[in-house]
Amino acid sequence: MPTIIFKPTESCNSNCAYCDVVARKAPKTMSLELLETTFIKINEYLLENNKEKLTLIWHGGEPLLLGIDYFKTALRFINEHCKETKHLLEHAIQSNLTLMKQEFIDIFREMGITHIGTSFEPIANIRGPGKEINSKVYNKKFFEGINILKDNDFGWGFIYVVTKKALSRPLDIFYFLSNLKLSGGFMMNPVLIYGKDENDISITPKEYVDFIGEIFPVWLKNKKRYPDVDPFKTIMKNIEEEGESLGCVDSGNCAYGHLYIGPSGETSQCGRSEDWGIINYGNINDRSLKEIFEDPRREELLIRTNYLLENDCAGCRFWKICHGGCPLDAYSPEKEGLMRKTAWCDVRKLFMEKYFEPITGIKFNK
Amino acid sequence: MNDIRLVCNFNIDLINNFQGKAIVIKTNNIDEIQHINHVVNKENKLHCIVVNHNGALSTLPVTDNWEGIPIHIFATRFGNFMQFIEQKHIYHKLSIRVFLSAEIETNYRDLQILSSFGIDCGLYFPNKSINWEKLNDLMYYSAYGKVQHASIEPFDFVIKKFEYNTPIDFSNVYFENPHQYLHISDEGKVALSGLDLHNCKFITENINDLENIHQSSEYKNVLNNWQNFFTKLEDCSCCPSWRICLGKFNHISDKTNTCQPFFNDLMDAAELFHENKSKFKTRELCQP
Ligand code: SF4
Ligand code: SF4
Ligand code: SF4
C-alpha cells in the first residue's frame, strides 16, 4: 500500500532544536485550491488503480495549525471528489498534540483516524515553543492532548529523537519513555541535522548505536514489559518473519511505495528526500499521480538495490535486514548519484556485531 | 459512576442517600459490626468494614458472629502472642484481613507469623519510616515462601493484578485509589482520599454530584496527576518499577538503595506469577 507523506503546512507552533522546518524563514501552507486538486488527483489515481489502497499521512510542520475549518474543508473535498474511492484512502496523522481539541477528534474520526503519531522529549529545552524552547509549556499542552485522545479512545505512538544531551543516560531515557506509555509504541531515531548544528545536539552514528546498544539487553530480557520498542521490535520481527516487515530504510524497496506532497504541490520520494532537495518528481499541479508514481527515477531506486547486492553489499551477512539502507544516506553532494550503500553501513554492522549477535546469540549467515 | 465504591462512616442518614452502591464503612466500634452489615446490605452492598484499632491486635475481641462479613482491621502492632493464639481459631472462620503498621519493626516478623497461621494480612504505611530490608524479606516470603501461608498485602495485590500494559495502584488495598474509591464526609461532601477528607479538601460539597463525577474536571485532573512525574527526567519517571509503585515513595531521597530495588524485586515476582498464573490457586477476600 503506497504511503503519501502529505505536508499541507510547514508552519509549526513549536521550535524544536532539531527541526529543519523551523529554520525556514517563511513557512508555506497549501491553498484550499491546491488541496482540492490534490484530492481530485488522488481520486483519479484510485479510480484507475482500484485494487490499491493509499495511506495519506498528514504531516507538518504542525498539521493542527491548519485549523478545524481546513480539515472540515478537506473532508468536504474528500466526500465530493473521492466518492467512489474514499474507502481506498486511509488517513493517518503526525502531530505534536499541543493544539488538540475535541473538534479535531470528531473530524479525524470521520476520516477514519483512531490513532495519532506524535513525539516526546524528556530532556528540558529541546522541544518547545519560543526562543528559549520552553519544554514546560510544551509538555503541559502535550499531556492535555494525550488526555483528549484518552477520553476518545484514540491510540497514540511516538518518536523519540536521540540527541547529544541524551547520550549519557540511555537507560533513564528508555525507562522514562516506557513508563510514559506502558503499552509501548515508540521508536528511537537518531537526530538528523541538515544544516549548522546551532544547538550542539548532533550525534555520530556510532554514538547512536552505543546508545541503543545499552538499552537493547534490557529490552530483550524484558520484552513483554517493553513490547513495542523500535528499532528492536522490527529487527526481531524480521528475523522471525524473514524480512517481511522492514521499514522503508531497510527494505530496499521503497521505490514505488512512497510519495511526498508539499504545501506548494511539489512532490518527492519522501519527506526526507524533499528536506534534502533530491529525488523530486515535479508538481502535483502539472502531473497526474500515476505519472508521479511511475516516474522513471523510481526505477533507479530499485536498480540500486540490485546493484548493491552484486557490488557494495555483496556477501554481507546482514543483507536480509538492511538491503544497503536508505538511498538518501548513500547520497553525498560531492559524489552525486545514489548507487552506493548507506553511509550508516559500518554502524549497522557495529550494532549487529557488537550488541545484537552477542546478546541474542542469533548469528546471521551469508 | 456505578463502578466507584464509597468510603464513609456508619451514618444511616448518609447511607440512605445511596442505592445499589458498594460501600466501605469505617468504624472504631466493633460492637456495631453485625448491625452495619445488616443495615448497609438493605439498599446497598457492604464492600468492607474498616476497623481502626488503635492498639495491639491481640487485644481485639474478635467473635464468630462476624462470619461472612468482610472486615479489615488496622492495628498498630501484633501484641501478646498467647493472647492472640486463644482467638486464632475464630480468625479462621472470618473474612478478615489484618493490617499492621510498617512503623514498628517487629510487625514485619509478626505479619509473617500471621500469614503462616493462614490469616490474610498486610502492612500499612502511616508515615515515611520503612525498613526496606525487612519489607523485602516479607515480600519474598509472601511471593516465594514454600510453606503454605495466607496472602500479605500490598504484595499480593501487586502480584495478582500485574498486567504488562497497565499501571497498578496498590492504594486500592487501603481503599484509597480515586479511580475506584471516593471518600464521603458525614455531611455528604466528596473527597478523593482519606487524607483529603481529613483535611476537608472536597471535590464537591454536594452528594448529588457523585453521579456525574466522571465529568468533573477536578476529578479528571486528579486521575491524570501521574503525568506530573513526566515533566522531569528523574527518579520516579525513569524508575524501572514505576508501573507498580506510581511514585508513592517519591519523598525518599535515596531511591536507588531503598524503594527502587524493592519494587524491582516485587515486579519480578509479579511477572513470574503472571507467567505461571494458571498454576496458582488464588483465594480472594473482599476484592480491593
Ligand atoms: S528514500 Fe530513504 S527515507 Fe525516503 S522512502 Fe526511501 S528509504 Fe525511506
Ligand atoms: S550492512 Fe552495509 S554492506 Fe551490509 S547490507 Fe547493509 S549497507 Fe550493505
Ligand atoms: S519505586 Fe521509588 S523511584 Fe520508583 S516510582 Fe516508586 S517512589 Fe519512585
Side-chain angles (χ1 to χ4, degrees):
Chain A
M1 171 161 36
T3 300
I4 299 179
I5 297 102
F6 184 48
K7 194 190 273 194
T9 184
E10 290 172 337
S11 296
C12 189
N13 59 336
S14 192
N15 182 30
C16 306
Y18 39 68
C19 182
D20 73 305
V21 169
V22 293
R24 296 187 187 177
K25 291 218 166 49
K28 297 186 210 97
T29 291
M30 184 178 271
S31 68
L32 290 178
E33 197 187 353
L34 187 52
L35 183 71
E36 186 167 20
T37 306
T38 303
F39 286 113
I40 290 171
K41 302 243 172 173
I42 286 175
N43 180 56
E44 283 166 7
Y45 178 81
L46 286 172
L47 279 175
E48 247 185 88
N49 302 276
N50 59 12
K51 298 271 171 311
E52 257 183 43
K53 277 191 168 182
L54 288 178
T55 301
L56 187 85
I57 306 180
W58 293 74
H59 225 282
E62 171 45 47
L64 300 193
L65 269 181
L66 293 165
I68 288 160
D69 287 342
Y70 194 94
F71 279 98
K72 278 188 181 161
T73 311
L75 195 59
R76 179 163 62 77
F77 290 154
I78 294 165
N79 288 332
E80 269 172 34
H81 300 302
C82 309
K83 257 193 211 116
E84 298 135 82
T85 57
K86 62 182 176 189
H87 65 287
L88 301 174
L89 180 62
E90 280 180 11
H91 296 267
I93 188 160
Q94 186 73 28
S95 160
N96 66 30
L97 299 182
T98 58
L99 300 167
M100 186 53 78
K101 283 192 215 156
Q102 184 60 43
E103 290 96 315
F104 281 121
I105 295 283
D106 298 338
I107 300 172
F108 294 158
R109 224 193 282 278
E110 275 196 65
M111 293 165 79
I113 297 173
T114 53
H115 180 102
I116 296 192
T118 185
S119 29
F120 193 76
E121 173 59 65
I123 297 172
N125 307 109
I126 292 184
R127 289 189 77 86
K131 247 197 186 138
E132 71 285 17
I133 311 187
N134 191 333
S135 42
K136 262 196 191 149
V137 170
Y138 183 95
N139 291 351
K140 185 174 174 287
K141 296 269 170 211
F142 173 84
F143 280 118
E144 284 167 14
I146 290 291
N147 294 336
I148 295 175
L149 298 188
K150 207 176 76 192
D151 287 347
N152 286 279
D153 287 328
F154 264 50
W156 59 286
F158 64 103
I159 289 169
Y160 170 67
V161 179
V162 184
T163 66
K164 190 185 273 184
K165 296 188 180 172
L167 292 180
S168 61
R169 302 179 68 183
L171 284 177
D172 281 350
I173 302 264
F174 172 66
Y175 290 131
F176 183 104
L177 302 176
S178 308
N179 290 337
L180 183 66
K181 189 159 182 282
L182 291 179
S183 55
F186 68 89
M187 167 130 104
M188 294 174 287
N189 285 343
V191 66
L192 298 171
I193 304 285
Y194 301 119
K196 211 172 138 226
D197 180 16
E198 287 181 359
N199 296 298
D200 190 26
I201 53 169
S202 65
I203 58 173
T204 64
K206 183 178 175 301
E207 283 171 329
Y208 171 69
V209 164
D210 286 335
F211 180 88
I212 59 167
E214 195 155 327
I215 297 169
F216 181 64
V218 177
W219 175 81
L220 188 73
K221 185 166 168 253
N222 302 293
K223 257 194 305 187
K224 285 192 174 167
R225 284 185 201 171
Y226 312 115
D228 195 357
V229 177
D230 266 325
F232 311 137
K233 189 198 74 176
T234 301
I235 298 177
M236 292 305 283
K237 201 162 171 230
N238 281 287
I239 289 164
E240 285 153 19
E241 295 174 7
E242 301 253 326
E244 287 298 306
S245 52
L246 292 168
C248 66
V249 294
D250 305 313
S251 67
N253 68 0
C254 76
Y256 294 98
H258 285 74
L259 165 65
Y260 166 87
I261 304 176
S264 307
E266 69 279 24
T267 67
S268 185
Q269 174 65 17
C270 59
R272 283 183 73 198
S273 65
E274 201 280 332
D275 287 339
W276 292 32
I278 50 177
I279 332 185
N280 295 327
Y281 300 131
N283 198 292
I284 189 100
N285 275 313
D286 312 322
R287 305 187 81 187
S288 71
L289 222 56
K290 185 170 187 289
E291 285 169 320
I292 292 169
F293 268 121
E294 287 175 3
D295 189 290
R297 291 218 62 193
R298 290 180 183 269
E299 192 61 20
E300 270 179 50
L301 299 179
L302 269 194
I303 293 169
R304 171 182 177 266
T305 306
N306 294 328
Y307 171 83
L308 293 180
L309 181 60
E310 303 294 322
N311 294 278
D312 295 30
C313 305
C316 173
R317 298 194 291 129
F318 307 116
W319 173 260
K320 266 195 293 195
I321 57 155
C322 174
H323 299 95
C326 167
L328 300 176
D329 295 330
Y331 179 85
S332 84
E334 299 83 49
K335 307 179 258 174
E336 264 198 35
L338 306 166
M339 291 299 165
R340 64 186 77 83
K341 64 184 178 181
T342 169
W344 288 67
C345 170
D346 288 348
V347 287
R348 288 181 158 222
K349 286 181 177 163
L350 181 70
F351 177 70
M352 298 308 290
E353 285 167 352
K354 182 173 171 187
Y355 296 103
F356 188 88
E357 288 186 327
I359 291 168
T360 59
I362 298 171
K363 188 93 180 143
F364 278 75
N365 296 317
K366 281 186 187 170
Chain B
M1 127 87 224
N2 271 339
D3 47 342
I4 289 194
R5 295 158 183 163
L6 307 177
V7 185
C8 60
N9 291 329
F10 183 52
N11 174 332
I12 296 181
D13 291 340
L14 178 70
I15 292 165
N16 282 343
N17 284 308
F18 311 134
Q19 269 220 323
K21 297 273 180 277
I23 302 181
V24 176
I25 297 288
K26 299 177 292 182
T27 182
N28 293 332
N29 182 0
I30 54 169
D31 297 333
E32 276 186 333
I33 285 183
Q34 277 177 287
H35 181 55
I36 293 172
N37 182 42
H38 178 71
V39 171
V40 174
N41 278 325
K42 271 190 201 154
E43 300 286 339
N44 294 283
K45 184 179 177 321
L46 178 70
H47 184 64
C48 190
I49 296 176
V50 173
V51 177
N52 276 307
H53 176 61
N54 202 5
L57 179 70
S58 60
T59 63
L60 189 85
V62 291
T63 150
D64 43 19
N65 292 336
W66 298 349
E67 213 177 312
I69 306 174
I71 302 169
H72 281 189
I73 307 278
F74 284 77
T76 323
R77 59 185 197 284
F78 181 71
N80 183 293
F81 187 76
M82 291 319 289
Q83 200 180 6
F84 178 80
I85 287 290
E86 279 167 25
Q87 305 199 78
K88 189 181 131 220
H89 65 285
I90 303 176
Y91 277 90
H92 284 144
K93 294 185 196 164
L94 305 181
S95 304
I96 201 166
R97 184 182 295 282
V98 173
F99 287 89
L100 301 180
S101 165
E103 257 186 314
I104 294 174
E105 296 264 324
T106 50
N107 282 348
Y108 297 84
R109 178 206 61 204
D110 294 339
L111 281 168
Q112 194 166 324
I113 294 170
L114 278 170
S115 166
S116 70
F117 283 164
I119 296 167
D120 293 294
C121 55
L123 262 183
Y124 68 98
F125 305 94
N127 64 18
K128 296 171 188 179
S129 91
I130 293 163
N131 185 325
W132 290 98
E133 213 182 309
K134 287 197 155 85
L135 187 71
N136 212 26
D137 289 347
L138 187 61
M139 184 276 285
Y140 262 79
Y141 175 77
S142 171
Y144 301 108
K146 289 268 186 286
V147 289
Q148 201 158 18
H149 59 278
S151 65
I152 307 177
E153 297 294 10
F155 320 123
D156 198 62
F157 180 83
V158 173
I159 289 170
K160 303 265 170 66
K161 301 286 175 193
F162 179 82
E163 292 288 344
Y164 282 110
N165 294 343
T166 1
I168 298 174
D169 190 345
F170 66 76
S171 306
N172 265 33
V173 167
Y174 314 107
F175 309 126
E176 284 292 355
N177 172 5
H179 282 269
Q180 292 200 9
Y181 296 96
L182 288 172
H183 293 247
I184 318 292
S185 76
D186 285 337
E187 300 77 37
K189 298 175 185 174
V190 182
L192 294 160
S193 66
L195 186 66
D196 280 3
L197 183 79
H198 179 78
N199 294 331
C200 297
K201 194 175 162 225
F202 300 109
I203 45 163
T204 169
E205 307 224 332
N206 186 349
I207 193 83
N208 297 324
D209 292 346
L210 259 182
E211 288 308 317
N212 299 316
I213 205 81
H214 283 121
Q215 266 114 54
S216 136
S217 57
E218 208 178 344
Y219 180 68
K220 280 188 188 168
N221 285 346
V222 170
L223 300 191
N224 291 327
N225 263 351
W226 65 272
Q227 290 167 348
N228 296 338
F229 284 99
F230 290 84
T231 54
K232 278 193 199 126
L233 180 68
E234 61 184 31
D235 293 344
C236 299
S237 64
C238 24
C239 167
S241 304
W242 152 263
R243 66 185 73 195
I244 59 166
C245 168
L246 306 179
K248 289 196 180 50
F249 301 94
N250 189 29
H251 53 270
I252 294 174
S253 47
D254 178 21
K255 295 189 183 63
T256 45
N257 290 309
T258 55
C259 52
Q260 279 199 5
F262 167 76
F263 279 97
N264 289 348
D265 285 356
L266 178 56
M267 188 145 85
D268 286 342
E271 195 169 7
L272 189 72
F273 178 85
H274 186 84
E275 292 299 303
N276 298 285
K277 230 176 197 167
S278 53
K279 294 185 202 151
F280 295 97
K281 270 201 215 135
T282 57
R283 175 175 117 83
E284 298 262 7
L285 290 178
C286 106
Q287 181 119 30

